[in-house]
Amino acid sequence: MASKPKEKAYILHHRGRTDSGGCMVLGRYKVGARNEKEAVALVKVVVGKHAKIRVYYEDKNSFMSHGIVVKR
């Protein structure tokens, strides 16, 4: 019996402000990580440590290797 992979795939949004004061998605990332906190940390390394990053959802249909960040 095969063991269940521990790495999950998360979809994250990099958010920022517009000139009119609203919020806008600047980038969408698919990340392979063990949990949500680790996924946010991996994206912050790529985007910048002061960026606003939010976990949009966990992609239960696919798995990714640990530490991979793909901009979509």
Side-chain angles (χ1 to χ4, degrees):
M1 189 158 82
S3 65
K4 189 175 182 182
K6 294 182 179 168
E7 289 81 18
K8 302 174 187 174
Y10 291 98
I11 306 297
L12 289 88
H13 284 171
H14 173 208
R15 300 171 47 211
R17 292 271 179 200
T18 61
D19 292 335
S20 62
C23 197
M24 182 172 123
V25 175
L26 302 175
R28 181 179 166 120
Y29 295 88
K30 187 172 184 178
V31 183
R34 290 185 187 105
N35 54 34
E36 293 180 4
K37 186 176 180 180
E38 187 177 36
V40 170
L42 288 169
V43 173
K44 281 191 174 192
V45 168
V46 174
V47 177
K49 67 179 183 177
H50 296 294
K52 293 179 183 175
I53 307 294
R54 270 207 139 145
V55 176
Y56 189 52
Y57 65 91
E58 177 186 344
D59 191 4
K60 297 190 185 244
N61 297 328
S62 67
F63 295 100
M64 292 183 69
S65 296
H66 182 265
I68 295 179
V69 178
V70 178
K71 185 170 183 177
R72 302 189 123 224

